[in-house]
PDB file of all heavy atoms in Angstrom:
ATOM      1  N   TRP T 159     -37.170 -36.661  45.411  1.00 91.00           N
ATOM      2  CA  TRP T 159     -36.127 -36.978  44.314  1.00 91.00           C
ATOM      3  C   TRP T 159     -36.060 -38.465  44.041  1.00 91.00           C
ATOM      4  O   TRP T 159     -35.827 -38.833  42.890  1.00 91.00           O
ATOM      5  CB  TRP T 159     -34.785 -36.362  44.669  1.00 91.00           C
ATOM      6  CG  TRP T 159     -34.746 -34.901  44.388  1.00 91.00           C
ATOM      7  CD1 TRP T 159     -34.713 -33.873  45.254  1.00 91.00           C
ATOM      8  CD2 TRP T 159     -34.765 -34.269  43.097  1.00 91.00           C
ATOM      9  NE1 TRP T 159     -34.712 -32.713  44.658  1.00 91.00           N
ATOM     10  CE2 TRP T 159     -34.766 -32.904  43.283  1.00 91.00           C
ATOM     11  CE3 TRP T 159     -34.848 -34.757  41.785  1.00 91.00           C
ATOM     12  CZ2 TRP T 159     -34.817 -32.009  42.292  1.00 91.00           C
ATOM     13  CZ3 TRP T 159     -34.856 -33.866  40.691  1.00 91.00           C
ATOM     14  CH2 TRP T 159     -34.818 -32.464  40.968  1.00 91.00           C
ATOM     15  N   ARG T 160     -36.241 -39.248  45.064  1.00 91.00           N
ATOM     16  CA  ARG T 160     -36.241 -40.699  44.809  1.00 91.00           C
ATOM     17  C   ARG T 160     -37.329 -41.078  43.826  1.00 91.00           C
ATOM     18  O   ARG T 160     -37.142 -41.898  43.034  1.00 91.00           O
ATOM     19  CB  ARG T 160     -36.517 -41.480  46.153  1.00 91.00           C
ATOM     20  CG  ARG T 160     -35.244 -41.685  46.886  1.00 91.00           C
ATOM     21  CD  ARG T 160     -35.270 -43.035  47.677  1.00 91.00           C
ATOM     22  NE  ARG T 160     -36.224 -42.937  48.776  1.00 91.00           N
ATOM     23  CZ  ARG T 160     -35.959 -42.465  49.989  1.00 91.00           C
ATOM     24  NH1 ARG T 160     -34.747 -41.953  50.232  1.00 91.00           N
ATOM     25  NH2 ARG T 160     -36.833 -42.338  50.974  1.00 91.00           N
ATOM     26  N   LYS T 161     -38.554 -40.420  44.048  1.00 91.00           N
ATOM     27  CA  LYS T 161     -39.607 -40.653  43.105  1.00 91.00           C
ATOM     28  C   LYS T 161     -39.218 -40.326  41.711  1.00 91.00           C
ATOM     29  O   LYS T 161     -39.505 -41.046  40.699  1.00 91.00           O
ATOM     30  CB  LYS T 161     -40.808 -39.767  43.495  1.00 91.00           C
ATOM     31  CG  LYS T 161     -42.117 -40.154  42.947  1.00 91.00           C
ATOM     32  CD  LYS T 161     -42.872 -41.091  43.808  1.00 91.00           C
ATOM     33  CE  LYS T 161     -43.906 -41.801  43.102  1.00 91.00           C
ATOM     34  NZ  LYS T 161     -44.835 -42.545  43.966  1.00 91.00           N
ATOM     35  N   MET T 162     -38.415 -39.198  41.542  1.00 93.00           N
ATOM     36  CA  MET T 162     -37.968 -38.850  40.250  1.00 93.00           C
ATOM     37  C   MET T 162     -36.979 -39.796  39.632  1.00 93.00           C
ATOM     38  O   MET T 162     -36.992 -40.093  38.465  1.00 93.00           O
ATOM     39  CB  MET T 162     -37.234 -37.444  40.311  1.00 93.00           C
ATOM     40  CG  MET T 162     -38.191 -36.319  40.456  1.00 93.00           C
ATOM     41  SD  MET T 162     -39.259 -36.177  39.006  1.00 93.00           S
ATOM     42  CE  MET T 162     -40.495 -34.992  39.712  1.00 93.00           C
ATOM     43  N   VAL T 163     -36.181 -40.352  40.506  1.00 94.00           N
ATOM     44  CA  VAL T 163     -35.223 -41.423  40.065  1.00 94.00           C
ATOM     45  C   VAL T 163     -35.978 -42.695  39.567  1.00 94.00           C
ATOM     46  O   VAL T 163     -35.799 -43.215  38.506  1.00 94.00           O
ATOM     47  CB  VAL T 163     -34.272 -41.890  41.216  1.00 94.00           C
ATOM     48  CG1 VAL T 163     -33.313 -42.981  40.643  1.00 94.00           C
ATOM     49  CG2 VAL T 163     -33.436 -40.639  41.707  1.00 94.00           C
ATOM     50  N   ALA T 164     -37.021 -42.997  40.357  1.00 93.00           N
ATOM     51  CA  ALA T 164     -37.907 -44.080  39.912  1.00 93.00           C
ATOM     52  C   ALA T 164     -38.582 -43.844  38.609  1.00 93.00           C
ATOM     53  O   ALA T 164     -38.515 -44.705  37.700  1.00 93.00           O
ATOM     54  CB  ALA T 164     -38.968 -44.328  41.026  1.00 93.00           C
ATOM     55  N   LEU T 165     -39.082 -42.668  38.359  1.00 94.00           N
ATOM     56  CA  LEU T 165     -39.719 -42.313  37.141  1.00 94.00           C
ATOM     57  C   LEU T 165     -38.671 -42.332  36.049  1.00 94.00           C
ATOM     58  O   LEU T 165     -38.873 -42.960  34.930  1.00 94.00           O
ATOM     59  CB  LEU T 165     -40.196 -40.788  37.159  1.00 94.00           C
ATOM     60  CG  LEU T 165     -41.511 -40.632  37.868  1.00 94.00           C
ATOM     61  CD1 LEU T 165     -41.778 -39.083  38.054  1.00 94.00           C
ATOM     62  CD2 LEU T 165     -42.648 -41.190  37.127  1.00 94.00           C
ATOM     63  N   GLY T 166     -37.481 -41.781  36.215  1.00 95.00           N
ATOM     64  CA  GLY T 166     -36.389 -41.726  35.266  1.00 95.00           C
ATOM     65  C   GLY T 166     -35.957 -43.126  34.892  1.00 95.00           C
ATOM     66  O   GLY T 166     -35.745 -43.463  33.676  1.00 95.00           O
ATOM     67  N   SER T 167     -35.929 -44.084  35.870  1.00 95.00           N
ATOM     68  CA  SER T 167     -35.451 -45.387  35.536  1.00 95.00           C
ATOM     69  C   SER T 167     -36.395 -46.158  34.634  1.00 95.00           C
ATOM     70  O   SER T 167     -36.017 -47.042  33.922  1.00 95.00           O
ATOM     71  CB  SER T 167     -35.262 -46.201  36.846  1.00 95.00           C
ATOM     72  OG  SER T 167     -36.495 -46.576  37.412  1.00 95.00           O
ATOM     73  N   ILE T 168     -37.642 -45.751  34.602  1.00 95.00           N
ATOM     74  CA  ILE T 168     -38.595 -46.388  33.708  1.00 95.00           C
ATOM     75  C   ILE T 168     -38.627 -45.633  32.386  1.00 95.00           C
ATOM     76  O   ILE T 168     -38.736 -46.264  31.318  1.00 95.00           O
ATOM     77  CB  ILE T 168     -40.032 -46.402  34.351  1.00 95.00           C
ATOM     78  CG1 ILE T 168     -40.030 -47.247  35.618  1.00 95.00           C
ATOM     79  CG2 ILE T 168     -41.106 -46.808  33.425  1.00 95.00           C
ATOM     80  CD1 ILE T 168     -39.554 -48.731  35.316  1.00 95.00           C
ATOM     81  N   ILE T 169     -38.528 -44.256  32.475  1.00 95.00           N
ATOM     82  CA  ILE T 169     -38.530 -43.496  31.165  1.00 95.00           C
ATOM     83  C   ILE T 169     -37.419 -44.018  30.263  1.00 95.00           C
ATOM     84  O   ILE T 169     -37.538 -44.136  29.097  1.00 95.00           O
ATOM     85  CB  ILE T 169     -38.347 -42.030  31.509  1.00 95.00           C
ATOM     86  CG1 ILE T 169     -39.664 -41.462  32.236  1.00 95.00           C
ATOM     87  CG2 ILE T 169     -38.117 -41.231  30.192  1.00 95.00           C
ATOM     88  CD1 ILE T 169     -39.491 -40.091  32.717  1.00 95.00           C
ATOM     89  N   ALA T 170     -36.276 -44.339  31.002  1.00 95.00           N
ATOM     90  CA  ALA T 170     -35.068 -44.758  30.229  1.00 95.00           C
ATOM     91  C   ALA T 170     -35.340 -46.094  29.479  1.00 95.00           C
ATOM     92  O   ALA T 170     -34.544 -46.463  28.546  1.00 95.00           O
ATOM     93  CB  ALA T 170     -33.847 -44.916  31.125  1.00 95.00           C
ATOM     94  N   LEU T 171     -36.383 -46.864  29.913  1.00 95.00           N
ATOM     95  CA  LEU T 171     -36.644 -48.182  29.180  1.00 95.00           C
ATOM     96  C   LEU T 171     -37.153 -47.810  27.741  1.00 95.00           C
ATOM     97  O   LEU T 171     -37.134 -48.761  26.975  1.00 95.00           O
ATOM     98  CB  LEU T 171     -37.677 -48.914  29.932  1.00 95.00           C
ATOM     99  CG  LEU T 171     -37.339 -49.693  31.239  1.00 95.00           C
ATOM    100  CD1 LEU T 171     -38.584 -50.228  31.857  1.00 95.00           C
ATOM    101  CD2 LEU T 171     -36.341 -50.736  30.907  1.00 95.00           C
ATOM    102  N   ASP T 172     -37.682 -46.665  27.577  1.00 94.00           N
ATOM    103  CA  ASP T 172     -38.297 -46.269  26.206  1.00 94.00           C
ATOM    104  C   ASP T 172     -39.371 -47.288  25.816  1.00 94.00           C
ATOM    105  O   ASP T 172     -39.459 -47.577  24.679  1.00 94.00           O
ATOM    106  CB  ASP T 172     -37.068 -46.170  25.280  1.00 94.00           C
ATOM    107  CG  ASP T 172     -37.612 -45.446  23.996  1.00 94.00           C
ATOM    108  OD1 ASP T 172     -38.494 -44.600  24.105  1.00 94.00           O
ATOM    109  OD2 ASP T 172     -37.016 -45.761  22.901  1.00 94.00           O
ATOM    110  N   SER T 173     -40.185 -47.697  26.682  1.00 95.00           N
ATOM    111  CA  SER T 173     -41.107 -48.708  26.309  1.00 95.00           C
ATOM    112  C   SER T 173     -42.425 -47.932  25.866  1.00 95.00           C
ATOM    113  O   SER T 173     -42.665 -46.822  26.143  1.00 95.00           O
ATOM    114  CB  SER T 173     -41.659 -49.468  27.575  1.00 95.00           C
ATOM    115  OG  SER T 173     -41.926 -48.553  28.607  1.00 95.00           O
ATOM    116  N   PRO T 174     -43.158 -48.598  24.857  1.00 96.00           N
ATOM    117  CA  PRO T 174     -44.289 -47.880  24.269  1.00 96.00           C
ATOM    118  C   PRO T 174     -45.423 -47.582  25.273  1.00 96.00           C
ATOM    119  O   PRO T 174     -46.229 -46.722  25.091  1.00 96.00           O
ATOM    120  CB  PRO T 174     -44.787 -48.836  23.221  1.00 96.00           C
ATOM    121  CG  PRO T 174     -44.172 -50.193  23.515  1.00 96.00           C
ATOM    122  CD  PRO T 174     -42.944 -49.901  24.220  1.00 96.00           C
ATOM    123  N   ILE T 175     -45.461 -48.329  26.329  1.00 96.00           N
ATOM    124  CA  ILE T 175     -46.520 -48.137  27.360  1.00 96.00           C
ATOM    125  C   ILE T 175     -45.834 -47.794  28.686  1.00 96.00           C
ATOM    126  O   ILE T 175     -44.876 -48.479  29.082  1.00 96.00           O
ATOM    127  CB  ILE T 175     -47.419 -49.379  27.527  1.00 96.00           C
ATOM    128  CG1 ILE T 175     -48.136 -49.731  26.265  1.00 96.00           C
ATOM    129  CG2 ILE T 175     -48.413 -49.165  28.701  1.00 96.00           C
ATOM    130  CD1 ILE T 175     -48.744 -51.107  26.245  1.00 96.00           C
ATOM    131  N   VAL T 176     -46.175 -46.740  29.300  1.00 96.00           N
ATOM    132  CA  VAL T 176     -45.667 -46.317  30.611  1.00 96.00           C
ATOM    133  C   VAL T 176     -46.753 -46.161  31.646  1.00 96.00           C
ATOM    134  O   VAL T 176     -47.814 -45.606  31.348  1.00 96.00           O
ATOM    135  CB  VAL T 176     -44.834 -44.944  30.501  1.00 96.00           C
ATOM    136  CG1 VAL T 176     -44.240 -44.605  31.780  1.00 96.00           C
ATOM    137  CG2 VAL T 176     -43.929 -44.984  29.328  1.00 96.00           C
ATOM    138  N   VAL T 177     -46.524 -46.771  32.798  1.00 96.00           N
ATOM    139  CA  VAL T 177     -47.557 -46.753  33.871  1.00 96.00           C
ATOM    140  C   VAL T 177     -46.914 -46.102  35.123  1.00 96.00           C
ATOM    141  O   VAL T 177     -45.881 -46.530  35.571  1.00 96.00           O
ATOM    142  CB  VAL T 177     -47.918 -48.232  34.200  1.00 96.00           C
ATOM    143  CG1 VAL T 177     -48.996 -48.181  35.281  1.00 96.00           C
ATOM    144  CG2 VAL T 177     -48.438 -48.988  33.044  1.00 96.00           C
ATOM    145  N   PHE T 178     -47.574 -45.109  35.625  1.00 95.00           N
ATOM    146  CA  PHE T 178     -47.114 -44.393  36.824  1.00 95.00           C
ATOM    147  C   PHE T 178     -48.159 -44.745  37.950  1.00 95.00           C
ATOM    148  O   PHE T 178     -49.286 -44.494  37.865  1.00 95.00           O
ATOM    149  CB  PHE T 178     -47.172 -42.885  36.648  1.00 95.00           C
ATOM    150  CG  PHE T 178     -46.123 -42.365  35.688  1.00 95.00           C
ATOM    151  CD1 PHE T 178     -46.201 -41.050  35.164  1.00 95.00           C
ATOM    152  CD2 PHE T 178     -45.103 -43.121  35.275  1.00 95.00           C
ATOM    153  CE1 PHE T 178     -45.318 -40.505  34.325  1.00 95.00           C
ATOM    154  CE2 PHE T 178     -44.112 -42.603  34.365  1.00 95.00           C
ATOM    155  CZ  PHE T 178     -44.227 -41.297  33.883  1.00 95.00           C
TER     156      PHE T 178
END
Side-chain angles (χ1 to χ4, degrees):
Chain T
W159 282 109
R160 273 212 292 277
K161 196 97 199 185
M162 286 298 167
V163 180
L165 282 172
S167 72
I168 295 305
I169 293 171
L171 284 174
D172 196 26
S173 53
I175 300 167
V176 184
V177 183
F178 293 164

